[in-house]
Amino acid sequence: MSSTLASARTEAKNGLAKRKRGAISTFIRELIVNKFLYMLALPGIIWFFIFAYLPMGGIVVAFQDFKAVKGITGSKFVGLKNFQFFFHSSDWVKVVTNTVFLNVLFIFFGTLAAVAIAIMVTELGGRWFKKISQSVMIFPHFLSWTVVAMFMTAFVATDGGFFNKMLGLFGIAPVQFLSSPGYWPVILVLLKIWHGAGFGSIVYMATISGINPEIYESAAMDGASRWQKIRFITLPLLKSTIILLTILAVGGIFNGDFGLIYAIIGRNPLLYP
């Protein structure tokens, strides 16, 4: 009986080792056959490893009494005390609500703007005008929020701000943007759209360009107007892309956008609400 069990274990181990060797050889063969495709993907893999996976080690800061002078390795480990401090405060509900509320606004209006930009650009006839407009709309994405904040301050400052100067020309009292939290959901949404909608429209433009032109030609022969083509052909065929990108955006809600909030709002306690 014991010899039978031993032989069965040996066979199982040998079978497992054989499957491992087979999996390794299959993996190596796959790399060799599709080596050029993997070489094309390699820069993206390296980028994600450096900027998405390696920084995850910094999560340990949430469980430390972190001191910048001491660094991660020298700071004291405090377990869940930081989380206790956060959830015992009176502001955690407001913080979470603001995060969700603002991100829902960003996703909804950002998606609408990106789809609208993609449709408008693809409907333009002039090739050079289309290229120039794409470049202009995508350019803000590459500006840091610090630069955007400098321009924003020049626009909304109470004394000397462009917007309040325009109001002054019509005899209207200046608006106290920097001390009135109620204006800022709208301002932040507009900034987010200006900064990212052009870049976000690239995927939608690629999807539209992949639609069979014969569908539009058939619709034109049936007397469909340009708006009817957009409504009954373009938008329905964009639906799956919109759903996919929205799901991905919802998954990143609690990543927040620290650069946007900190650069624009900064340490202004009047706008914390």
Side-chain angles (χ1 to χ4, degrees):
M1 187 71 177
S2 59
S3 61
T4 305
L5 288 173
S7 61
R9 289 171 182 165
T10 303
E11 289 180 5
K13 288 180 179 180
N14 292 335
L16 182 61
K18 190 180 293 184
R19 285 194 295 273
K20 286 183 178 179
R21 288 195 297 270
I24 293 172
S25 62
T26 303
F27 176 71
I28 294 173
R29 188 162 56 249
E30 170 69 17
L31 288 178
I32 294 172
V33 171
N34 297 309
K35 55 181 176 294
F36 294 111
L37 293 177
Y38 286 109
M39 286 174 65
L40 287 173
L42 188 61
I45 294 172
I46 293 173
W47 187 92
F48 273 103
F49 179 74
I50 294 175
F51 294 103
Y53 287 96
L54 283 182
M56 290 177 68
I59 292 175
V60 69
V61 172
F63 305 95
Q64 291 180 328
D65 180 16
F66 180 72
K67 306 292 184 184
V69 177
K70 297 180 179 179
I72 293 178
T73 56
S75 297
K76 182 182 177 182
F77 182 81
V78 294
L80 298 176
K81 284 188 177 181
N82 292 328
F83 295 91
Q84 291 175 354
F85 172 78
F86 176 68
F87 287 108
H88 286 168
S89 69
S90 59
D91 293 328
W92 78 269
V93 175
K94 182 178 289 187
V95 171
V96 174
T97 303
N98 284 348
T99 300
V100 175
F101 174 67
L102 286 175
N103 278 278
V104 168
L105 293 180
F106 293 159
I107 293 170
F108 180 76
F109 289 104
T111 301
L112 284 180
V115 171
I117 289 171
I119 292 173
M120 286 189 291
V121 170
T122 52
E123 289 293 324
L124 293 173
R127 182 180 177 185
W128 288 106
F129 180 76
K130 187 184 294 187
K131 287 185 176 181
I132 293 171
S133 61
Q134 286 179 11
S135 301
V136 171
M137 287 184 292
I138 292 171
F139 174 73
H141 176 76
F142 300 100
L143 294 176
S144 71
W145 283 117
T146 305
V147 176
V148 176
M150 294 171 63
F151 284 106
M152 191 63 205
T153 303
F155 268 89
V156 301
T158 305
D159 298 324
F162 175 78
F163 188 80
N164 282 319
K165 277 187 176 181
M166 295 299 294
L167 292 179
L169 294 177
F170 296 96
I172 302 174
V175 180
Q176 306 291 331
F177 287 109
L178 298 178
S179 59
S180 305
Y183 296 110
W184 284 90
V186 176
I187 294 173
L188 292 175
V189 168
L190 292 176
L191 282 175
K192 190 74 173 179
I193 291 173
W194 175 80
H195 190 264
F199 187 81
S201 66
I202 293 175
V203 177
Y204 297 114
M205 283 189 281
T207 305
I208 294 172
S209 65
I211 298 174
N212 191 344
E214 294 180 359
I215 301 175
Y216 293 102
E217 293 172 3
S218 300
M221 292 176 64
D222 290 335
S225 64
R226 178 169 289 188
W227 167 245
Q228 288 174 325
K229 292 177 187 177
I230 293 171
R231 181 181 176 185
F232 296 107
I233 299 174
T234 306
L235 289 177
L237 293 177
L238 277 177
K239 184 171 68 174
S240 58
T241 305
I242 293 172
I243 292 172
L244 175 62
L245 294 181
T246 301
I247 291 172
L248 293 174
V250 169
I253 277 182
F254 281 99
N255 286 343
D257 198 334
F258 179 78
L260 165 64
I261 302 299
Y262 187 74
I264 304 295
I265 305 300
R267 297 184 179 181
N268 185 350
L270 297 175
L271 299 180
Y272 282 177

